[in-house]
Amino acid sequence: MGNGVREGQVDFQRQDVEPIPSTHLPPEETREKKKVLNSLMSGALAGAVAKTAVAPLDRTKIMFQVSSKRFSAKEAYRLIYRTYLNEGLWSLWRGNSATMVRVIPYAAIQFCAHEEYKQLLGSYYGFQGKALTPFPRFIAGSLAGTTAAMLTYPLDMVRARMAVTPKEMYSNIVHVFIRISREEGLKTLYRGFTPTIIGVIPYAGLSFFTYETLKKLHADHSGKLQPSPPERLLFGACAGLIGQSASYPLDVVRRRMQTAGVMGHTYSSILLTMQEIIREEGLIRGLYKGLSMNWVKGPIAVGISFTTFDLMQILLRKLQHSSNVERLPGDVSYCALLAREVGLAHPGLSRGMPGANRGVQRVGFTVPPATRGAHGAGRCFGKWGAA
């Protein structure tokens, strides 16, 4: 199986096993807390890296979305070039600080919530520890996106305002909050909230569904448990392409409603906003303005985001696994980890245990080179496959 353990039948008897004191291996509650913390950290980093990578394209897209100018790749390039000449290179990342303030908690909450919803739905549908079926897979993604959007929406509003206004209008994030609250009212901070929630359901649902489905199909057909980083990027790109295309008209409506106060428009509802956009600019050129840029930006951002999250999760698990092994007494580390793997109530074995030897006689082991001849490894595994 590639992990140094050969499959075999296990007939551990609980009376043969003595637990290691709880100080050596963390209890279930502690492991669950670490899992949540890992998801939050990995999600935060994933969001920050992905959004920073595509920030210039994202700002350009928003500027087209909130204006009546006709979008084309040529015009987008001209806008980026003019912005660079007039305001400098770093102006292309204007509003990115507000984006980070929003994206870091948003991505952290979304990825962490997705892991938790997967676990809850797995328990509910009887798929605990296995891949979810398609419908629960979509629901887990939708719920994760909705949870994150609800908790971080005002930050998204502020970020949109900073992206479409000159730097003289708002000096920093706090200034945006103060001016909006004083001049337009606190309610303005939630303008565009409804289309955001309606749009995030298909977007997050289809993104997570597509990514998880592609990973499962890859595992089924290739025989590999995990895809490589380039494959993860490709799966994430496909997920972003499908998710953003499905929800794009609502994204345009959301941006129009968020920036109405500074763009000279008044939008009172989703339907009226859509009607005005279609009447003035047409269905395709209005509601799908900037979509072609999103087909470049979106797959890159989502691919980087999913890949960063997965690789960080793998890295953190390896670090914690190494830490757990180091904290165990040398002669029981691998025995204790074995006991946990086979599902004993007390995941640990005490020093020297002949009972454990009786319990694992029918399991084959290849002892890692670093442990060969070691005092504890010899006692635990010496009779079974130490070359």
Side-chain angles (χ1 to χ4, degrees), residues 254-291:
R254 169 175 67 122
R255 294 303 184 197
R256 292 293 180 94
M257 295 180 75
Q258 286 177 335
T259 59
V262 294
M263 301 300 291
H265 293 281
T266 302
Y267 300 118
S268 56
S269 69
I270 298 173
L271 290 178
L272 290 176
T273 304
M274 281 187 169
Q275 287 174 3
E276 185 169 336
I277 293 171
I278 293 171
R279 184 173 64 252
E280 293 181 356
E281 304 167 47
L283 175 64
I284 302 299
R285 293 189 182 276
L287 291 179
Y288 288 90
K289 181 184 291 183
L291 179 60

Side-chain angles (χ1 to χ4, degrees), residues 294-307:
N294 236 38
W295 283 343
V296 176
K297 175 192 77 71
I300 293 173
V302 178
I304 291 173
S305 182
F306 277 125
T307 302

Side-chain angles (χ1 to χ4, degrees), residues 119-133 136:
Q119 188 171 322
L120 288 172
L121 289 169
S123 299
Y124 181 79
Y125 285 100
F127 296 108
Q128 190 69 40
K130 301 178 184 178
L132 294 175
T133 52

